[in-house]
Amino acid sequence: MAYYFQEPSHTFNEYLLVPGYSSSECIPAAVSLETPLVRYRKGETSALTMKIPMVSAIMQSVSGQELAVALAREGGVSFIYGSQTVEDEAAMVAAVKGYKAGFVRSNSNISPDKTLADILALKAQTGHSTVAVTDDGTAEGRLVGIVTGRDYRVSRMSPDAKVSTFMTPLEQLVTAPLGTTLKEANDIIWDHKLNSLPIVDKDGKLCYFVFRKDYDQHKQNPLELLDSEKRYVVGAGINTRDYATRVPALLEAGADVLCIDSSEGFSEWQKLTIAWIREHYGESVKVGAGNVVDAEGFRFLADCGADFIKVGIGGGSICITRETKGIGRGQATALIEVCRARDEYFAETGIYVPVCSDGGIVHDHHITLALAMGADFVMLGRYFARFDESPTSKVNVGGTLMKEYWGEGSNRARNWQRYDLGGAGKLSFEEGVDSFVPYAGKLSDNVQRTLAKVRSTMCNCGALSIPELQQKARLTLVSSVSIVEGGAHDVTLRASSAEV
């Protein structure tokens, strides 16, 4: 006879936090949201610690290189999606790692015989307004000039105008030789009131750019997550099929942490993947695994050596795994059980394996609930898909600006590796949908507003850190009637506004 869980599985929306005593020290500005990303032993610290408890989902419609930079700037980590070629994923990782090294390799390059139309097309493709003009149009060519938005006026120039006729030529540029330190480069930028400084070698070939905006952004983003070389931290998704090829390429590109992207992680396929990584790289390579929904699944992956474990099956807004296959569990119930198992595992072994809550986050306060229930951080897809920095297009739907958002199990993504059970290499049926989400603007504005709510709620619970919240939190199940009571009711609203 099948085993039956006695308790129904619950969602985040069925719980509320009960306030605790707040001292005068409990103010949002004093709250720390630092949290470990990968496993560590008792008495030690995690090799990777995030400044905020947020990572982006391993999805085509969410985690591209632009979002990875924006999220790292806020203190979180993005996992570049793995449902693309090894070469393309590695190139995205390399682009993120090169973005904040201070010395940035140019990815907007053109030859002097090209036209204004080519400049505009390149700008539309890369989003960058500074274009290096090199003799051969490559990033390593001999620098002959630069084109910025100040060098042309679209309304007054022919699209056929040659770049050589309106670029700022080399003799009018301030450059610096290869070997210039970042401090020296920034001093030159300030002394000459520049927006960018080309770094060239003895043969005049372009090596790097140093941008004023990078210095300014560093000062404006004190929580940005950087590695030892002051490059942005970035993660990358892998699967259980081509890891022997994908993992080395991603590590060569500079990936700081990997994560096995799978809808269900309690399998030998994940065990084999982690074992291969440990055999070839030991403990130096950090790799998360999942997804699981119970203590048994957690224990299995922890024993396999996973550096963090994701919890959640079927709770994502675009996921229909529960509908199509009838497997899964309410996110709150799954998270509570797995985090209890995590604490037991830590007590037994002295090894702390961080837990990531993946899915089921509908409102901002669900993040605080997930943290209170034991999660070390949350993985978000729909949340990040709404922002400027996600890799999808903005679309006008019925007069409302939306962004495209599709699941990895949808026919559009066709990420069969994520749902691989060892059979043929194809997607037999869909486990995700193709949809739209309301456009919400810049990532930084939204993340800061969301985390302001998290910090405020933590203060209501008398907690100044995530571990303290988990220790002090008191949660109560709520009835369907009290959920209605918790919103605006028995009034006529002047204007309607829904939290997304």
Side-chain angles (χ1 to χ4, degrees), residues 35-294:
T35 192
L37 178 58
V38 297
R39 68 161 57 200
Y40 60 91
R41 294 186 176 276
K42 188 174 183 178
E44 299 177 353
T45 57
S46 176
L48 286 171
T49 299
M50 296 189 293
K51 304 292 181 62
I52 64 172
M54 302 171 79
V55 300
S56 68
I58 312 169
M59 299 175 68
Q60 294 175 8
S61 55
V62 178
S63 296
Q65 63 194 57
E66 189 176 353
L67 189 129
V69 168
L71 184 53
R73 191 174 288 150
E74 299 301 317
V77 172
S78 186
F79 284 86
I80 301 294
Y81 66 92
S83 52
Q84 58 181 321
T85 67
V86 172
E87 294 77 16
D88 287 347
E89 186 181 9
M92 281 191 176
V93 169
V96 177
K97 298 306 291 186
Y99 189 93
K100 188 57 184 182
F103 296 96
V104 181
R105 291 197 178 276
S106 175
N107 70 345
S108 293
N109 310 284
I110 205 163
S111 59
D113 60 335
K114 296 296 184 181
T115 65
L116 174 60
D118 295 319
I119 288 284
L120 298 177
L122 185 59
K123 182 179 178 181
Q125 177 186 339
T126 65
H128 297 153
S129 58
T130 299
V131 179
V133 185
T134 60
D135 58 350
D136 60 2
T138 70
E140 295 79 25
R142 185 172 54 83
L143 185 67
V144 296
I146 283 180
V147 174
T148 70
R150 294 177 298 181
D151 291 313
Y152 58 85
R153 292 186 67 178
V154 176
S155 61
R156 295 191 178 185
M157 293 173 59
S158 167
D160 297 326
K162 296 292 186 182
V163 169
S164 58
T165 64
F166 61 86
M167 69 181 187
T168 301
L170 178 63
E171 53 268 23
Q172 295 179 24
L173 295 176
V174 176
T175 64
L178 186 63
T180 301
T181 67
L182 186 58
K183 183 180 184 306
E184 290 170 342
N186 282 321
D187 287 342
I188 294 171
I189 286 173
W190 282 100
D191 291 342
H192 293 272
K193 301 180 180 179
L194 306 173
N195 288 322
S196 63
L197 176 69
I199 307 295
V200 297
D201 67 12
K202 60 183 177 59
D203 298 319
K205 291 186 176 182
L206 177 64
C207 299
Y208 306 100
F209 272 109
V210 178
F211 292 97
R212 175 192 290 264
K213 66 178 183 179
D214 285 348
Y215 179 86
D216 293 340
Q217 286 171 350
H218 174 66
K219 296 302 180 184
Q220 294 167 8
N221 297 279
L223 296 181
E224 62 183 358
L225 200 59
L226 306 175
D227 65 15
S228 59
E229 298 178 33
K230 295 189 176 182
R231 302 175 300 176
Y232 283 129
V233 172
V234 63
I238 62 174
N239 61 65
T240 58
R241 282 282 184 123
D242 65 4
Y243 51 83
T245 303
R246 191 172 294 268
V247 169
L250 294 175
L251 295 176
E252 170 119 13
D256 298 280
V257 58
L258 306 175
C259 184
I260 303 172
D261 183 26
S262 174
S263 66
E264 202 280 300
F266 193 0
S267 74
E268 186 176 6
W269 305 111
Q270 297 221 358
K271 180 178 181 179
L272 293 172
T273 303
I274 297 171
W276 185 90
I277 291 173
R278 294 292 174 247
E279 178 186 351
H280 290 80
Y281 299 99
E283 301 294 325
S284 64
V285 172
K286 307 304 179 184
V287 56
N291 289 20
V292 298
V293 292
D294 62 6

